[in-house]
Each structure stands twice: as structure tokens, then as C-alpha cells.
Amino acid sequence: DGGITQSPKYLFRKEGQNVTLSCEQNLNHDAMYWYRQDPGQGLRLIYYSQIVNDFQKGDIAEGYSVSREKKESFPLTVTSAQKNPTAFYLCASSQGLSWDAEAFFGQGTRLTVV
Amino acid sequence: GQSLEQPSEVTAVEGAIVQINCTYQTSGFYGLSWYQQHDGGAPTFLSYNALDGLEETGRFSSFLSRSDSYGYLLLQELQMKDSASYFCAVGGATNKLIFGTGTLLAVQP
């Protein structure tokens, strides 16, 4: 079955540690996105990538980093520079520049920093 | 920059009709999408409008007015399972996909 997979579902880390969230898709989509969602809030764009080996900052990129070495994979690293990293992180993919294409979301990773 | 505004909460009863509004400010507007998210789950795509007018998909319809930078999602024959958060989203010239703040819909028996 085609889809987008995020792992792990729950993640606990100590303050000051970097952590990497995985996102893999087998939909052959060009575009991939990372969003952060805080309780009762909307989705805020962290980073996005339209093509392999290229990515752009979203609205809240500070304290995060990404890579896009393969079309299928778009991992997100939450660094120690992120002041308030505890949140629900959602990865999405879409066909690309065709804006009538829906975005498909993974099930999310709930990160808790203690 | 880009911004989208939605009401934070809407309450309705089973069988009723509810409208969720979205106003947006963006450069290079391409289209308005709607997504549904149940608590703790992944958002799922509902509809997309690139042109002015109404798009109907079963019980759900979506409307867009580009001149007013405004759209809405219309949910008919409400069911308890429709209780969820609803987000509008825009894609623009910068190829970002930006989401609104979300509207929490509570359907009461």
C-alpha cells in the first residue's frame, strides 16, 4: 500500500539533545513538508522540499534542520537550539507544483522533551 | 506574508448544516483546500477550489471567492463523526502550503 510513514509515534528526549524524526513516502511525490502542531493550534510550516537535494525554510525553521537526499525520505532534526520543542510533528507529501493535488499526511510524531 | 483566519470553534446539532469560513491573505494565490483532522490524528484532504464558485462532494461543499479572498466549507446532514478540526490551506507562488488556525466543530446529539 502506498502511503507516508512517520516514526516513531512517540518520542521522549532530554533537554539539550538533538533528535531526528523520520518521514518516508512511497507515493513517488516530489514535494514533502514538515509541520508543527501545538495543542489546539493550527499547522505551522517548518521546512518544505519540492525536489531532491533542495529545501526551503518555512515560517518557523529556527532550531530545526532537514535533508532531502532521496525522493522518498525527508528527515527532520530538532536541535538543542529549538527553545520549545515539545509538540506534535506532522510530515506530508504531495505531487508537487500542481496545487489541486491533495497533501497526504503521516500519522505524526509526538515529541516530548523533559 | 501569508495568513488565514478561521473561527476557533463552531457547535451544531446532528442533522443540521454548518458553514466554516476562511479568509486569507497571500501572494500568488493558486487555490484553497480544506482538511479534516480528528483528535490526535492525521489531517485528511476534503476539497480544493481553484476557481470561484461551489464544489460539491457528497455532504461536503466548498466555496471560493477570489475577489473577496474568502472561502467556506459547508457540511450538511451533520453526523457525530463530523466532530473534528477543519483547516483551510492555501498554496501560493512560493510553493508553500500554508494552513489556517483551524476550526473545532462539535456536533451535539
Side-chain angles (χ1 to χ4, degrees):
Chain A
D1 288 336
I4 182 164
T5 303
Q6 290 185 244
S7 61
K9 189 171 183 178
Y10 298 95
L11 190 55
F12 295 86
R13 277 295 181 268
K14 290 184 178 180
E15 195 171 340
Q17 290 182 336
N18 291 359
V19 61
T20 297
L21 282 58
S22 170
C23 178
E24 304 279 333
Q25 54 100 357
N26 60 4
L27 299 166
N28 200 34
H29 285 170
D30 291 311
M32 297 188 75
Y33 310 84
W34 273 106
Y35 294 90
R36 169 182 173 138
Q37 188 174 33
D38 293 286
Q41 303 297 314
L43 284 69
R44 292 187 289 167
L45 183 64
I46 304 172
Y47 269 98
Y48 64 107
S49 168
Q50 295 292 327
I51 196 170
V52 175
N53 292 322
D54 188 42
F55 48 83
Q56 287 78 41
K57 293 182 179 180
D59 298 321
I60 56 165
E62 185 175 351
Y64 299 98
S65 65
V66 293
S67 63
R68 187 85 188 276
E69 297 176 1
K70 298 186 300 182
K71 188 175 186 178
E72 304 79 25
S73 179
F74 192 41
L76 173 74
T77 297
V78 184
T79 75
S80 57
Q82 169 50 235
K83 300 301 182 187
N84 185 19
T86 294
F88 187 46
Y89 291 88
L90 286 159
C91 179
S93 70
S94 70
Q95 191 59 44
L97 300 180
S98 172
W99 285 110
D100 59 354
E102 64 182 277
F104 291 81
F105 282 82
Q107 291 301 310
T109 294
R110 197 167 296 278
L111 173 65
T112 303
V113 175
V114 296
Chain B
Q2 294 170 292
S3 67
L4 299 92
E5 291 191 11
Q6 305 176 232
S8 58
E9 294 183 25
V10 173
T11 301
V13 296
E14 265 188 305
I17 299 173
V18 71
Q19 178 174 312
I20 299 173
N21 299 321
C22 174
T23 57
Y24 59 87
Q25 288 185 323
T26 184
S27 57
F29 176 82
Y30 278 70
L32 184 71
S33 301
W34 289 91
Y35 287 78
Q36 178 192 61
Q37 184 185 33
H38 285 98
D39 191 29
T44 55
F45 175 84
L46 292 176
S47 67
Y48 173 80
N49 294 69
L51 303 175
D52 286 359
L54 192 69
E55 294 281 344
E56 298 182 61
T57 309
R59 295 189 296 115
F60 294 179
S61 303
S62 57
F63 172 83
L64 175 64
S65 170
R66 295 174 68 110
S67 60
D68 295 323
S69 297
Y70 163 77
Y72 66 72
L73 180 69
L74 191 73
L75 296 84
Q76 303 181 71
E77 301 173 17
L78 279 175
Q79 302 175 10
M80 296 298 291
K81 67 178 182 179
D82 297 329
S83 293
S85 291
Y86 292 84
F87 296 90
C88 56
V90 295
T94 56
N95 295 326
K96 292 180 181 180
L97 183 58
I98 301 297
F99 283 77
T101 52
T103 298
L104 181 61
L105 170 64
V107 180
Q108 298 178 340

